Amino acid sequence: MTKLTFKTIVNLYFSASDLMVRIVLVFFLFTASLNLIGQSQIASPKILNYSADQYKSGIQNYAVTQDKQGILYFGNKEGLLTFNGRYWNKFSLPNLTGIKSVKVDSKNRIYVGGEDELGYFFPGKNGVLKYHSLLNLIPEKQRTMAHIWNIAIVRDEVFFRSLSCIIRYKEGAVNVYKPDFEWSFLGNVGNKVYAQSKDRGVFLFENGVWKPIPGTSSLNGTTITSVLSYSKDIVLFSTMKDGLFTLAGEKLTRKPTGLDKILLADRVYSGTNIGTDWIALGTASSGLLILDKQGNLVQRYSYPEGLQNDNIRATFVDSNGSLWLGLDDGIDMIAINSAIKYIRPNRTNQVTFTTKVFNGRLYIGSSNGLYYTNLESGKTDLSLSKGEFSKVPDLHGQIWNVEEINNKLLVAHEGGLFNLNEKGINSLYSKSGVWILQPFSKVYPTQKVIAGAYSSLQLLNFEDGQFAPSTTVNGLNESLRFLVYDDATNIAWASHPYHGIYKIQLSPDLRNVVKYTLYTQQDGLPSTLYNYVYRVHNRIAIATEKGIYEYDEASNRFVFSSFFKPYFNNIPVIYLKEDNDGNVWFVTRAKEVGVVELTEEKKGQVTYFPEIKEKIVGGFESIYPYNSSNIFIGATKGVLHINYDKFKQTKKELGVLLGQVKIIGEKDSIIHGGYFTEQGSIVARQARKSIPSLSHDQNFLHFEFSSTFYNEQSNVEYSCFLEGIDKSWSPWSSKSEKDYTSLPAGKYTFKVKARDNSGLESDPVAYSFVITPVWYRSLWSYILYVFVFIFLISRLLKWQQKKHIKAQERLHYLNQLERDKTEKEIIRLKNEKLEADIDFKNRELTNMVMHLVQRGKVIEKIKDELAVVSKGSENNGNSANFKRLHRLIADVEKGEKDWEQFNSHFNKVHSDFFKNLQKVCPELTANELKLCAFIKMNLSTKEIAQLMNITPKAVEVARYRLRKKLNLNPEINLYGYLVQILEK
């Protein structure tokens, strides 16, 4: 009977025409050949799970793609999902159908296909994605097309596939291509677009025409699910249920693989290239299969390895080399390109204390036994080795240390010390647990080994090619978990986290402790607690809470190490390990893992690995630097593997994205959706004309930002700065959001930058905005205020001017009053003087008149006396003398000299009297004027008569004639009239 091989079964499957025969063969393949599947890699990269509860949308995800900024897009059951590393957003189609296909063109337009709907999302003015339907470009009769299952973009020509048609969109125009039966696939490799028509083979789009590819009819009856690059001129088709095929020109060839039993029994929904050597296939129930070009299994990821489920509908490799999976329930990310991976020897995720590579095997000492796996030869990176872990029988419990000494594998166990060989385990010490092993010298083979046990120091002798059972070193009963032996001085240094540092002087045969000294804080250590002893660079180094210390023999004290200071300074280190290149790996009290480069090229450079922080075993740290490509670190769940060479070679271009900017209020509103646009294209920086202006009550803002280092989000920190408010950049923090409240009016620019664990900083991204003031603080208000101020100032100036004028007028008035008063006073004084002068002159005039009157009286008396005397002397001859005297007296009475003198005095006292009087009555005679003067002086008739040398009767007649000349009525007083004449 012919042996039924796997290859024979596959050939029978493809040659069988009966459906039942195929079903039986598939069942046989799946049940009888499970052992034929190749082994997976021993290590797995980080896997991140995103559930529907996290991204707040439907559970099923059908497509994945990425734009130039690094933002990821997922075709989800409820719409389009976007993810920038920290924040998820969902955008729905107008008809609220699911999105089965997503692609991004060179202009960052996100093309999507739903049910009876196709179009693209592109940011609006506020940076929020907005949907633009292309359905209206399709003839109305052809708009019913059910689901758009595939999209292909070549040179900005966009192809949409539904079962009923393929739609080509270019420069605003569409072409609709109908198949003979139905289109079952569409995809592209490079600039070539392929499509499959049911029962008509594969077509290639050339010069606007779908051309059938001869030789592809063998794919009839099956469905292509992806077309991938295989080599320069060869493409690879994955099919849903019939395995893989290569197409070289017009030659289609089935591609056999070591996984055909799965590919024939399960459904393959999707495929993608991982670099140039690997291919990833997403299946319906077998998880993710990664194959090399030869068809060998590289790795398999399914639910046990960390996926949320095994039904994978979409696969995509992002710009960082990470693999994204659209699942039937959720989204997963596999850091397939990461230099850090995880080795789990069993499914219980046990704590790991030690790791060792020995004789082609990897040994892992855990909290419950020792596990091992065979390593593939020729693998530089041992994590890529395929294998399955087995547990060493009869060795249960905690494995503290595994060491290779003299080509023997010694195991320090909680139950003692064992030698592991091909025959099994050989006990070397079993009274108590053993922590650590230290060879007597580095010379191979070393003849003696000391071991730190739970309560003693043990000595192992190497005799006849074997280790003999240990003997106890007498003189010290102490738990010695940290132990270093110095063969030059025959001294063992040990540390106890709670007691201090032991200096143990051994006898020459190493069987006895000659002397031991305990060093504490009093001996130079920064503290008695938490001191750990290691050998680094051939020095006895004490890791303390304040850096590295060394023993100074001259002073018999511990001093701060000048050798390690430039690298560690005061870092609280608890673990040190030197690798083969002289670099020092360390763990801090905060469980940070790092390495100090001590090579000449990068001396002193410190690199941290924040992604593994908190994952190491606190208090039982273990780092095993096998070589620069294989660093093993004990972890709480298995072993962490670091390919340090790959880690250093990984080129990082750290960028930061500004996500949504929201106004915080009773209802949050988005003012920026995460995209900057200018002239119809997405750009990296905000355009000046797109700076938003916010009202004064929109001054509570929330900023979101992220980095597209998706598999290193825990390593990324951010720093922010708001120009106009902040005085400096904020401290680095893993927080990816920032709030500002009660911002005053003004122009602001928010800036954010990112950095990773290596200190690499991104360029900052900026977002400017303006908060307008309240209406009474607006520009127009201030302009109005200026005008009002100017108006008020002008009014004030005018008021001041008027006030000044009034003050001047008042001052002038007061001055005038003062002048008038002065003038009046002067006039008064003058008047008083004049009056005094007039009074004086009046008195003179009166005196003069009185004198004249008196004289007249005297003359009258003289005349009377002469008359009497002359009568008595007429006979004496004296009559002639008397007559002469009478004539002389008459001449005196008639003389004008007295009148002239009177007239002169009268005019001085009553100026212009005679002029005014003559103006009134020019006909007045001299005697009448003289009479008026006498009347003006208010002289009596008798006095006037004496002065005028006439009788009183004549005076009366003269008065009568004067009144007549003056035309005075009888009732007018002549005196009063003459006084008025004087006042004119």
Side-chain angles (χ1 to χ4, degrees):
M1 184 175 178
T2 304
K3 183 178 179 181
L4 191 63
T5 64
F6 177 75
K7 185 175 182 180
T8 304
I9 297 172
V10 171
N11 291 332
L12 287 173
Y13 172 85
F14 281 100
S15 61
S17 59
D18 186 79
L19 178 61
M20 287 302 298
V21 173
R22 286 195 171 195
I23 292 173
V24 171
L25 288 172
V26 168
F27 178 78
F28 182 82
L29 284 168
F30 194 70
T31 56
S33 305
L34 289 177
N35 61 331
L36 296 179
I37 187 170
Q39 294 174 325
S40 298
Q41 294 175 358
I42 61 174
S44 298
K46 179 195 296 185
I47 297 178
L48 298 178
N49 304 130
Y50 301 95
S51 66
D53 292 335
Q54 290 174 273
Y55 55 74
K56 307 296 181 185
S57 191
I59 59 174
Q60 293 177 321
N61 297 277
Y62 304 98
V64 189
T65 192
Q66 189 178 33
D67 68 10
K68 293 179 180 178
Q69 296 184 92
I71 299 174
L72 289 166
Y73 302 92
F74 301 87
N76 183 263
K77 186 179 181 181
E78 296 182 5
L80 177 71
L81 295 180
T82 71
F83 184 49
N84 62 9
R86 290 292 180 101
Y87 300 98
W88 295 89
N89 290 292
K90 182 175 74 173
F91 301 89
S92 300
L93 294 178
N95 58 6
L96 302 179
T97 61
I99 293 177
K100 296 293 195 299
S101 52
V102 180
K103 289 287 184 180
V104 178
D105 70 0
S106 61
K107 297 180 181 178
N108 266 13
R109 292 180 177 180
I110 305 116
Y111 287 89
V112 298
E115 185 173 357
D116 293 335
E117 185 60 69
L118 73 165
Y120 65 90
F121 284 91
F122 193 76
K125 291 183 178 180
N126 61 348
V128 178
L129 290 181
K130 181 181 179 182
Y131 182 69
H132 302 266
S133 178
L134 301 177
L135 199 62
N136 60 327
L137 300 178
I138 302 173
E140 188 172 355
K141 293 182 180 180
Q142 299 176 348
R143 292 179 184 176
T144 302
M145 61 193 73
H147 288 290
I148 302 295
W149 290 99
N150 302 119
I151 298 177
I153 300 179
V154 175
R155 293 186 293 267
D156 287 337
E157 293 182 59
V158 187
F159 298 84
F160 301 87
R161 178 192 74 87
S162 71
L163 294 178
S164 60
C165 63
I166 289 178
I167 300 164
R168 174 174 171 257
Y169 171 74
K170 182 180 181 181
E171 297 177 352
V174 299
N175 301 101
V176 180
Y177 301 91
K178 304 287 288 186
D180 294 336
F181 292 97
E182 66 180 36
W183 292 110
S184 55
F185 173 74
L186 173 73
N188 70 289
V189 173
N191 293 328
K192 293 184 178 181
V193 183
Y194 298 89
Q196 182 186 25
S197 178
K198 187 176 181 180
D199 297 330
R200 290 292 185 271
V202 180
F203 289 73
L204 178 66
F205 188 79
E206 289 183 346
N207 300 321
V209 178
W210 289 102
K211 296 181 179 180
I213 300 177
T216 59
S217 58
S218 59
L219 291 176
N220 296 341
T222 187
T223 300
I224 297 174
T225 55
S226 68
V227 56
L228 309 173
S229 173
Y230 187 78
S231 63
K232 183 177 180 180
D233 299 317
I234 301 175
V235 296
L236 178 73
F237 294 113
S238 67
T239 64
M240 185 170 290
K241 296 183 293 182
D242 296 303
L244 305 180
F245 295 84
T246 58
L247 177 64
E250 297 179 356
K251 183 178 180 181
L252 184 71
T253 306
R254 186 184 173 279
K255 173 67 178 177
T257 72
L259 298 175
D260 281 346
K261 67 183 184 67
I262 293 179
L263 302 182
L264 298 177
D266 203 347
R267 290 173 175 261
V268 176
Y269 282 146
S270 62
T272 190
N273 290 101
I274 301 178
T276 58
D277 299 323
W278 292 354
I279 295 166
L281 301 175
T283 68
S285 59
S286 299
L288 180 74
L289 306 174
I290 298 179
L291 297 78
D292 59 20
K293 290 289 185 67
Q294 290 70 43
N296 301 315
L297 177 68
V298 175
Q299 185 63 286
R300 176 179 179 181
Y301 298 99
S302 56
Y303 182 78
E305 283 77 28
L307 300 187
Q308 295 180 84
N309 62 75
D310 294 339
N311 191 342
I312 301 172
R313 295 181 174 272
T315 55
F316 178 79
V317 176
D318 69 13
S319 57
N320 294 323
S322 297
L323 182 61
W324 290 86
L325 308 178
L327 308 178
D328 197 53
D329 185 3
I331 296 170
D332 285 347
M333 189 278 290
I334 303 175
I336 197 75
N337 197 40
S338 175
I340 301 176
K341 296 181 180 179
Y342 301 83
I343 301 174
R344 296 181 175 90
N346 63 4
R347 301 302 180 191
T348 60
N349 293 321
Q350 294 177 0
V351 174
T352 298
F353 299 118
T354 184
T355 312
K356 180 64 66 174
V357 174
F358 177 70
N359 284 348
R361 287 182 176 180
L362 174 64
Y363 290 88
I364 296 177
S366 72
S367 58
N368 188 26
L370 183 64
Y371 293 83
Y372 69 94
T373 184
N374 293 321
L375 298 173
E376 289 185 284
S377 60
K379 295 287 185 182
T380 303
D381 186 339
L382 298 181
S383 69
L384 300 179
S385 181
K386 299 175 186 177
E388 294 182 356
F389 280 92
S390 300
K391 187 177 181 182
V392 175
D394 302 325
L395 196 58
H396 307 291
Q398 298 180 111
I399 308 295
W400 298 121
N401 203 352
V402 178
E403 289 288 347
E404 177 191 356
I405 302 176
N406 295 346
N407 202 27
K408 303 294 181 181
L409 196 65
L410 302 181
V411 180
H413 183 265
E414 67 173 335
L417 182 62
F418 301 91
N419 180 17
L420 180 63
N421 52 47
E422 296 297 331
K423 298 179 181 179
I425 58 174
N426 178 29
S427 177
L428 301 177
Y429 174 72
S430 59
K431 292 183 179 180
S432 66
V434 173
W435 297 111
I436 191 171
L437 299 165
Q438 283 288 302
F440 176 73
S441 69
K442 294 182 180 180
V443 179
Y444 177 82
T446 182
Q447 300 301 314
K448 297 180 183 297
V449 175
I450 59 174
Y454 280 12
S455 58
S456 63
L457 190 64
Q458 297 293 316
L459 176 64
L460 289 174
N461 289 306
F462 189 73
E463 300 172 354
D464 299 328
Q466 298 292 332
F467 280 105
S470 69
T471 58
T472 301
V473 178
N474 300 316
L476 180 64
N477 296 320
E478 184 62 87
S479 178
L480 303 174
R481 187 157 69 92
F482 300 92
L483 181 66
V484 174
Y485 178 71
D486 185 1
D487 57 345
T489 59
N490 199 28
I491 292 176
W493 293 91
S495 64
H496 193 289
Y498 309 114
H499 297 169
I501 302 296
Y502 288 94
K503 179 183 179 183
I504 307 170
Q505 181 68 55
L506 300 176
S507 60
D509 60 1
L510 306 178
R511 294 183 178 275
N512 298 287
V513 174
V514 176
K515 176 185 178 182
Y516 72 86
T517 306
L518 179 63
Y519 295 88
T520 64
Q521 187 175 5
Q522 297 178 351
D523 301 298
L525 294 171
S527 173
T528 301
L529 305 176
Y530 308 117
N531 301 299
Y532 307 92
V533 60
Y534 302 99
R535 181 190 294 274
V536 180
H537 278 265
N538 205 30
R539 295 169 175 268
I540 306 301
I542 310 299
T544 76
E545 60 182 12
K546 292 186 178 180
I548 309 300
Y549 280 67
E550 291 187 88
Y551 177 69
D552 180 39
E553 188 172 1
S555 61
N556 192 29
R557 292 175 60 83
F558 283 91
V559 296
F560 193 72
S561 173
S562 59
F563 177 82
F564 292 104
K565 180 180 179 180
Y567 318 120
F568 296 99
N569 201 5
N570 293 322
I571 298 176
V573 179
I574 60 175
Y575 183 85
L576 296 168
K577 187 69 175 182
E578 183 181 355
D579 65 16
N580 299 329
D581 298 320
N583 303 318
V584 180
W585 294 77
F586 64 91
V587 180
T588 69
R589 188 175 300 282
K591 296 185 178 180
E592 295 175 310
V593 178
V595 59
V596 177
E597 295 267 11
L598 291 181
T599 60
E600 291 300 326
E601 296 179 357
K602 297 183 178 180
K603 193 166 185 177
Q605 178 175 313
V606 180
T607 303
Y608 285 93
F609 302 87
E611 54 266 58
I612 63 178
K613 184 181 179 180
E614 302 293 339
K615 296 180 180 179
I616 61 174
V617 185
F620 293 90
E621 296 77 15
S622 170
I623 298 178
Y624 172 45
Y626 178 67
N627 56 35
S628 58
S629 296
N630 299 277
I631 310 296
F632 298 91
I633 301 176
T636 55
K637 296 179 180 180
V639 176
L640 292 163
H641 176 275
I642 300 177
N643 186 332
Y644 190 50
D645 287 336
K646 183 177 180 179
F647 182 88
K648 291 186 292 184
Q649 294 170 2
T650 301
K651 294 183 179 180
K652 299 179 181 181
E653 294 182 2
L654 182 62
V656 62
L657 295 178
L658 179 66
Q660 291 186 348
V661 180
K662 299 178 183 178
I663 299 173
I664 306 172
E666 293 182 1
K667 185 178 180 181
D668 294 351
S669 58
I670 299 174
I671 61 173
H672 176 68
Y675 300 86
F676 295 121
T677 59
E678 188 174 11
Q679 297 180 351
S681 299
I682 294 178
V683 294
R685 296 290 182 265
Q686 182 185 22
R688 290 185 178 180
K689 63 181 181 180
S690 62
I691 296 176
S693 182
L694 310 178
S695 64
H696 68 278
D697 57 350
Q698 295 177 319
N699 59 348
F700 288 70
L701 297 182
H702 172 80
F703 295 88
E704 296 177 351
F705 37 87
S706 66
S707 170
T708 53
F709 271 26
Y710 293 100
N711 63 329
E712 297 183 25
Q713 286 297 309
S714 59
N715 305 337
V716 180
E717 296 179 318
Y718 303 93
S719 180
C720 308
F721 178 65
L722 182 62
E723 288 185 0
I725 291 293
D726 296 331
K727 295 182 179 179
S728 61
W729 287 87
S730 66
W732 291 101
S733 170
S734 60
K735 189 177 180 181
S736 61
E737 57 186 359
K738 182 72 173 180
D739 292 336
Y740 289 93
T741 60
S742 301
L743 291 174
K747 183 176 180 181
Y748 300 94
T749 299
F750 175 78
K751 295 181 179 180
V752 61
K753 59 183 178 180
R755 75 173 182 183
D756 65 2
N757 58 301
S758 65
L760 176 66
E761 288 189 17
S762 70
D763 293 330
V765 63
Y767 179 76
S768 298
F769 59 96
V770 175
I771 295 180
T772 60
V774 292
W775 65 268
Y776 51 83
R777 290 185 178 179
S778 65
L779 176 62
W780 292 109
S781 297
Y782 284 117
I783 293 174
L784 178 61
Y785 297 155
V786 171
F787 280 112
V788 171
F789 179 73
I790 293 173
F791 173 76
L792 292 176
I793 291 296
S794 64
R795 296 299 298 174
L796 179 61
L797 292 175
K798 288 183 179 180
W799 178 77
Q800 288 283 1
Q801 188 176 9
K802 287 182 178 180
K803 184 178 178 182
H804 178 69
I805 292 172
K806 287 183 178 181
Q808 292 295 324
E809 289 177 350
R810 178 174 174 79
L811 185 59
H812 179 71
Y813 172 72
L814 293 175
N815 290 334
Q816 187 64 38
L817 288 177
E818 189 67 27
R819 285 197 299 270
D820 292 345
K821 184 179 178 181
T822 304
E823 289 176 358
K824 287 181 180 180
E825 184 67 21
I826 293 172
I827 292 171
R828 185 183 65 81
L829 294 173
K830 286 182 179 180
N831 290 338
E832 288 180 354
K833 183 179 180 182
L834 288 174
E835 288 177 357
D837 291 343
I838 292 171
D839 185 58
F840 174 74
K841 290 179 179 180
N842 279 333
R843 286 195 302 270
E844 281 186 342
L845 184 60
T846 302
N847 291 334
M848 184 181 195
V849 171
M850 292 306 295
H851 173 72
L852 290 174
V853 171
Q854 291 297 328
R855 190 186 71 171
K857 289 180 179 181
V858 171
I859 290 172
E860 187 64 30
K861 288 180 179 182
I862 291 172
K863 282 174 65 178
D864 289 344
E865 289 294 328
L866 283 177
V868 173
V869 172
S870 66
K871 285 179 179 181
S873 63
E874 284 179 356
N875 296 319
N876 295 330
N878 289 328
S879 61
N881 291 330
F882 280 112
K883 287 180 179 180
R884 194 170 50 252
L885 286 172
H886 277 292
R887 284 195 300 269
L888 182 61
I889 292 171
D891 290 338
V892 172
E893 289 178 340
K894 293 178 181 178
E896 294 295 329
K897 187 176 181 180
D898 289 336
W899 167 247
E900 290 177 0
Q901 187 177 5
F902 172 80
N903 188 33
S904 175
H905 280 81
F906 185 85
N907 281 328
K908 289 181 180 179
V909 176
H910 305 289
S911 60
D912 300 330
F913 176 78
F914 293 116
K915 291 180 180 179
N916 293 335
L917 191 59
Q918 286 178 338
K919 287 180 181 179
V920 174
C921 186
E923 296 86 5
L924 293 177
T925 65
N927 285 331
E928 287 174 341
L929 289 174
K930 194 181 294 186
L931 177 62
C932 289
F934 292 150
I935 295 172
K936 171 67 178 67
M937 291 185 66
N938 202 20
L939 296 177
S940 65
T941 302
K942 186 178 181 180
E943 289 174 339
I944 294 173
Q946 288 179 350
L947 288 173
M948 293 185 71
N949 198 24
I950 60 176
T951 64
K953 182 72 173 173
V955 173
E956 292 294 334
V957 172
R959 288 173 66 93
Y960 173 77
R961 290 175 180 173
L962 180 61
R963 289 180 64 86
K964 204 171 179 184
K965 278 189 177 183
L966 293 175
N967 295 322
L968 295 178
N969 294 328
E971 62 273 11
I972 297 176
N973 185 274
L974 181 59
Y975 172 77
Y977 176 77
L978 293 175
V979 171
Q980 291 179 353
I981 290 295
L982 182 64
E983 292 177 354
K984 288 183 179 180

